[in-house]
């Protein structure tokens, strides 16, 4: 057990224990230091499309600790600093301010009390302080203990010798006292969570992070610090981005194996990024030797690639660029060359004229089905915010400010992980979907959600996914994706937390030449190189998929909180959901790309006022079930 006590999975270095995140391990508490502490042997992760979006040179992944080498984790893995620094003894209740220079003497062990004969392990204080600017620090407990004192001797006491006492008078925070061991000044923790509890002590935010050294210059912070529990959900909001690895289209690289080997080489993105720099010639020679082709052949492919890229319409929205390439790769599987990281093939629902009416109604609404035998996803951590999620507008937004993974300079690279998996892509018939969106009841219903979205502090970040205008298709397909994941968790063998969604239904700016999108991609991604069990691919083949879709529509009409859920006019944060709750639609945080927002079962299956897009399928299925019942 000693060997695994302080191990962290590689995927956890992005979330929830990425830069700035708090890690609790068997009575100890640590915080992940910024990217400057990462070892030089961090592994490089290739994702040119995501790098262009985030405007960084590269991504790096934490190195894997060899088996039996956990004792050297601090030398080869990301740095985690002990925090909070105020610790107390559970027996004698004495507190002490821990110094980082004492960490070396522990040799991987937990700090213990030197006064008690049994040497109990010291525990971290429960409360810390954070601010909307992203800073985090210990509460000045010495000042807290003396803040309510009236005697001059107590108010002038500068001793840091404190005790953290639990009294039996009550079970609330008023029973916890911070007492000065010298002047006997004391104050309970009652009211510590109030908005101005720390401001009233006269201590502004120090403008620092726990991992900063004395040489690092503190920020000038005017935000009011707030006292929160160190395990609270609002202490850490990681800002992550992800992109699928889409190989170059066949029109760019040609059909021959030589062209494919050149473009799929990890050196190809470096050559493209090099442009006309002197190092480009070196990349061309290395590529030619590696792929056993001539330098002229590589140069011809590069010119072809540059010409194709120049003719493509550019977009000012990076999210739009990522979704466009992925949409084209899934909607026309033959347009993208299969590679070791991306293998997709078209399939069908397997419905014919002799099947039940519910299946035929469903087949009329589904335009294409694609199964992905292998996909690669790169997830990167750009930064984090505290106390409130970021609104997407940086320091000027209403939410918390985004703190970069490098707190002292502009980040040239970002922490990232690559994961492999499988998935199912479903595209909805565009003609039927457009006719449905033009219905006045559907349009008015969605505009109510859109007005709430405009008033939300998450508006900019959510519109980065939905587009400038919230279309009915986005809410409907997002709800379909959630119901799809919940049903697949029963049918495919994967649990719901291991499945993820990508919704392709964004709107485009006026005059845009981008094609309309209408589809969802449900996939799983594992941290190892295998990354697939085959469960999703099997469910994507006939007749499994059509049965899964009909069952999810049937289950979507029931919720244990109905009629409160079904009749809701606004749920969740900022009223961004309608008929959707934890009992019927919401998923774990790892599954949803927009924080369980913009969901509504009404647009999926309909009610008395709004016709759902799949209402005809559901009615046909219910009629078939009624006919199958033998009445006496």
């Amino acid at each position: 057990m000693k060997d695994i006590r302080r191990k962290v999975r590689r995927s956890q270095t992005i979330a929830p224990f990425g830069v700035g995140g708090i890690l609790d391990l068997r009575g100890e508490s640590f915080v992940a230091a910024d990217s400057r502490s990462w070892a030089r042997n961090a592994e490089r992760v290739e994702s040119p499309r995501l790098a262009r979006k985030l405007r960084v040179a590269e991504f790096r992944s934490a190195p894997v600790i060899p088996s039996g080498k956990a004792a050297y984790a601090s030398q080869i893995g990301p740095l985690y600093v002990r925090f909070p620094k105020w610790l107390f003894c559970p027996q004698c209740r004495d507190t002490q301010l821990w110094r980082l220079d004492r960490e070396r003497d522990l040799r991987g062990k937990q700090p213990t009390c030197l006064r008690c004969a049994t040497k109990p392990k010291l525990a971290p204080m429960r409360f810390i302080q954070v601010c909307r600017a992203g800073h985090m620090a210990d509460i000045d407990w010495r000042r807290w203990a003396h803040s309510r004192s009236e005697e001059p001797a107590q108010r002038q006491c500068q001793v840091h010798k404190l005790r953290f006492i639990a009294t039996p008078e009550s079970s609330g925070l008023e029973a916890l006292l911070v007492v000065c061991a010298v002047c006997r000044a004391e104050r309970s923790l009652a009211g510590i969570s109030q908005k101005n509890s720390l401001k009233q002590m006269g201590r502004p935010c120090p403008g620092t992070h726990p991992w900063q050294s004395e040489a690092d210059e503190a920020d000038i912070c005017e935000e009011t610090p707030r006292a929160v529990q160190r395990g609270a959900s609002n202490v850490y909001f990681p800002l992550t981005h992800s992109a699928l690895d889409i190989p170059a289209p066949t029109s760019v690289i040609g059909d021959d194996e030589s062209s494919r080997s050149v473009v799929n080489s990890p050196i190809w993105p470096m050559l493209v990024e090099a442009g006309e720099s002197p190092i480009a010639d070196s990349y061309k020679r290395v590529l030619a030797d590696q792929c056993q082709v001539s330098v002229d052949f590589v140069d011809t492919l590069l010119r072809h690639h540059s010409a194709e890229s120049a003719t493509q319409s550019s977009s000012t929205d990076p999210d739009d660029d990522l979704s466009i390439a992925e949409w084209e790769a899934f909607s026309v599987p033959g347009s993208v060359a299969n590679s070791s990281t991306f293998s997709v093939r078209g399939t069908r629902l397997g419905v014919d004229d002799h099947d039940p009416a519910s299946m035929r109604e469903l087949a009329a609404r589904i335009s294409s089905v694609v199964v992905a035998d292998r996909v690669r996803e790169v997830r990167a951590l750009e930064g984090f915010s505290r106390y409130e999620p970021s609104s997407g507008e940086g320091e000027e937004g209403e939410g918390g400010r985004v703190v970069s993974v490098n707190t002292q300079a502009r980040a040239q690279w970002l922490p990232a992980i690559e994961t492999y998996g499988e998935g199912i892509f479903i595209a909805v018939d565009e003609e039927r979907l457009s006719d449905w969106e033009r219905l006045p009841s559907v349009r008015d219903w969605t505009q109510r959600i859109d007005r709430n979205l405009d008033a939300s502090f998450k508006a900019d970040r959510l519109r980065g996914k939905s587009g400038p205008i919230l279309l009915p298709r986005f809410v409907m397909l997002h709800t379909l994706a959630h119901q799809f994941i919940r049903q697949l968790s029963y049918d495919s063998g994967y649990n719901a937390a291991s499945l993820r969604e990508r919704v392709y239904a964004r709107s485009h700016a006026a005059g845009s030449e981008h094609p309309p999108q209408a589809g969802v991609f449900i996939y799983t991604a594992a941290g190892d190189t295998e990354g697939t069990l085959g469960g999703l691919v099997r469910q994507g083949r006939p007749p499994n998929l059509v049965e899964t879709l009909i069952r999810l529509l049937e289950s979507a009409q029931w919720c244990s909180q109905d009629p409160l859920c079904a009749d809701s006019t606004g749920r969740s944060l900022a009223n961004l959901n309608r008929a959707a709750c934890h009992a019927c639609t919401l998923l774990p945080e790892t599954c949803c790309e927009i924080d369980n927002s913009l969901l509504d079962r009404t647009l999926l299956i309909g009610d008395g006022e709004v016709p759902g897009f799949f209402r005809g399928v559901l009615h046909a299925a219910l009629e078939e079930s009624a006919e199958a019942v033998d009445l006496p």
Side-chain angles (χ1 to χ4, degrees):
M1 299 300 293
K2 178 181 177 181
D3 186 50
I4 67 173
R5 186 164 57 90
R6 291 180 177 175
K7 280 188 178 180
V8 175
R9 292 195 301 271
R10 173 183 279 182
S11 60
Q12 293 177 324
T13 61
I14 304 301
F17 306 135
V19 174
I22 292 182
L23 170 64
D24 283 317
L25 285 177
R26 300 187 179 183
E28 296 182 277
S29 180
F30 303 91
V31 62
D34 66 358
S35 60
R36 293 177 297 160
S37 66
W38 282 50
R40 294 183 178 180
N41 59 343
E43 301 175 11
R44 182 171 179 173
V45 178
E46 299 290 342
S47 183
R49 295 170 57 243
L50 188 58
R52 286 193 297 270
K53 169 190 172 181
L54 301 180
R55 299 179 181 178
V56 294
E58 60 179 352
F59 302 105
R60 298 180 187 177
S61 181
V64 177
I65 301 173
S67 178
K69 300 295 183 179
Y72 304 98
S74 60
Q75 283 78 26
I76 68 174
L79 178 64
Y80 285 80
V81 179
R82 190 177 300 278
F83 178 81
K85 297 181 179 65
W86 276 102
L87 309 176
F88 71 93
C89 174
Q91 289 187 8
C92 67
R93 312 300 294 187
D94 279 355
T95 65
Q96 59 177 284
L97 185 60
W98 188 256
R99 300 192 311 272
L100 293 180
D101 56 357
R102 298 177 57 187
E103 200 72 35
R104 300 177 181 176
D105 300 334
L106 295 178
R107 296 181 180 180
K109 297 181 181 180
Q110 187 170 347
T112 57
C113 181
L114 302 180
R115 292 189 55 186
C116 300
T118 57
K119 294 185 177 181
K121 297 178 180 179
L122 298 180
M125 293 294 285
R126 183 188 307 177
F127 285 89
I128 59 175
Q129 69 176 39
V130 299
C131 76
R132 292 176 66 253
H135 301 120
M136 182 170 67
D138 282 270
I139 295 176
D140 189 345
W141 293 112
R142 186 204 63 81
R143 195 175 186 89
W144 178 268
H146 296 81
S147 60
R148 294 288 178 86
S149 302
E150 297 181 356
E151 298 182 7
Q154 292 180 339
R155 298 184 66 86
Q156 297 176 6
C157 180
Q158 299 296 324
V159 180
H160 285 75
K161 192 175 183 180
L162 306 173
R163 300 188 68 198
F164 184 53
I165 300 176
T167 60
E169 280 77 10
S170 65
S171 59
L173 292 179
E174 61 271 10
L176 300 176
L177 302 176
V178 181
V179 182
C180 178
V182 177
C183 68
R184 312 307 299 175
E186 66 178 41
R187 182 178 176 181
S188 71
L189 299 189
I192 192 172
S193 299
Q194 294 179 0
K195 181 179 180 179
N196 295 321
S197 61
L198 300 182
K199 183 179 180 180
Q200 293 170 355
M201 293 196 307
R203 285 287 186 178
C205 176
T208 59
H209 304 282
W211 57 83
Q212 288 182 322
S213 63
E214 296 180 357
D216 293 332
E217 183 179 356
D219 299 331
I220 300 177
C221 182
E222 299 180 355
E223 293 288 342
T224 301
R226 315 285 178 88
V228 296
Q229 296 193 52
R230 70 173 191 274
S233 60
N234 62 347
V235 170
Y236 184 62
F237 296 99
L239 179 59
T240 60
H241 303 270
S242 66
L244 299 181
D245 186 7
I246 306 296
T250 305
S251 60
V252 175
I253 67 174
D255 295 327
D256 58 290
E257 295 183 1
S258 299
S259 301
R260 297 174 188 268
S261 63
V262 171
V263 176
N264 290 331
S265 172
I267 303 178
W268 175 260
M270 305 180 196
L271 175 60
V272 174
E273 292 292 333
E276 298 181 358
S277 63
I279 199 175
D281 293 334
S282 299
Y283 285 145
K284 292 177 184 178
R285 289 193 296 269
V286 173
L287 261 176
D289 293 340
Q290 182 186 73
C291 302
Q292 297 181 355
V293 296
S294 64
V295 176
D296 292 337
F297 183 82
V298 176
D299 193 48
T300 300
L301 285 179
L302 183 61
R303 289 198 303 269
H304 194 186
H305 172 81
S306 301
E308 289 277 345
S309 301
T311 56
Q312 293 178 356
S313 59
S314 60
S315 173
T316 58
D317 189 348
D319 276 323
D320 199 9
D321 286 338
L322 294 179
S323 68
I324 287 295
E326 295 172 6
W327 169 257
E328 291 178 351
F330 286 121
S331 58
V332 187
S335 64
V336 176
N338 289 340
S339 67
S340 59
T341 61
F342 189 82
S343 177
V344 297
R345 51 193 170 90
T347 182
R348 56 188 182 85
L349 286 176
V351 177
D352 54 36
D353 296 336
H354 303 289
D355 286 318
S358 59
M359 294 185 178
R360 298 196 302 271
E361 288 282 347
L362 179 63
R365 289 166 172 79
I366 303 297
S367 60
S368 66
V369 178
V370 176
V371 293
D373 297 289
R374 189 171 179 82
V375 292
R376 174 179 175 266
E377 181 193 31
V378 174
R379 304 174 197 166
L381 175 66
E382 182 183 8
F384 62 89
S385 60
R386 302 197 190 279
Y387 198 76
E388 293 178 352
S390 168
S391 64
E393 296 180 341
E395 298 183 8
E396 303 299 329
E398 298 179 1
R401 191 188 74 182
V402 175
V403 180
S404 173
V405 294
N406 188 334
T407 55
Q408 294 299 315
R410 182 183 179 278
Q412 300 298 322
W413 60 271
L414 297 178
I417 57 171
E418 58 179 355
T419 55
Y420 296 84
E422 57 173 343
I424 306 173
F425 172 81
I426 298 177
V428 179
D429 183 75
E430 177 63 32
E431 184 178 353
R432 281 179 173 265
L433 187 61
S434 299
D435 293 341
W436 173 74
E437 285 185 312
R438 285 192 287 267
L439 296 176
S441 58
V442 173
R443 188 172 57 252
D444 295 342
W445 187 266
T446 308
Q447 286 177 353
R448 301 173 192 172
I449 306 177
D450 198 19
R451 286 193 293 268
N452 290 341
L453 178 58
D454 284 334
S456 170
F457 69 91
K458 298 195 299 181
D460 287 340
R461 190 161 64 90
L462 294 182
R463 290 203 185 278
K465 297 294 183 180
S466 67
I469 301 176
L470 181 64
L471 299 177
R473 68 177 65 192
F474 187 91
V475 180
M476 185 274 292
L477 288 173
H478 188 207
T479 309
L480 174 65
H482 277 233
Q483 297 293 340
F484 201 4
I485 290 177
R486 293 171 71 97
Q487 188 62 44
L488 285 173
S489 65
Y490 300 113
D491 298 342
S492 66
Y494 289 106
N495 59 65
S498 65
L499 301 178
R500 294 169 63 87
E501 68 171 10
R502 297 185 86 85
V503 180
Y504 302 100
R506 63 176 295 125
S507 59
H508 302 301
S512 173
E513 297 180 358
H514 294 311
Q517 301 177 359
V520 296
F521 180 52
I522 307 300
Y523 64 103
T524 181
D528 53 42
T529 56
E530 299 298 330
T532 176
L533 298 176
L536 289 189
V537 172
R538 180 179 180 181
Q539 288 304 126
R541 299 171 181 167
N544 298 328
L545 181 58
V546 64
E547 296 176 357
T548 298
L549 292 175
I550 291 179
R551 281 199 297 268
L552 76 84
L553 293 175
E554 292 175 342
S555 62
Q557 63 180 331
W558 301 106
C559 177
S560 60
Q561 295 191 22
D562 282 342
L564 296 178
C565 178
D567 297 339
S568 173
T569 57
R571 301 176 70 92
S572 76
L573 188 64
N575 293 329
L576 295 180
N577 291 339
R578 287 297 188 266
C581 67
H582 283 284
C584 61
T585 307
L586 303 191
L587 293 172
E589 293 180 356
T590 56
C591 301
C592 183
E593 58 181 356
I594 55 173
D595 306 329
N596 277 321
S597 302
L598 306 179
L599 296 164
D600 185 12
R601 287 184 295 136
T602 303
L603 293 177
L604 183 68
I605 59 176
D607 62 2
E609 179 182 355
V610 180
F613 181 74
F614 289 96
R615 183 175 63 175
V617 180
L618 184 59
H619 284 181
L622 294 177
E623 292 177 359
E624 293 165 4
S625 300
E627 293 175 357
V629 177
D630 295 330
L631 298 177

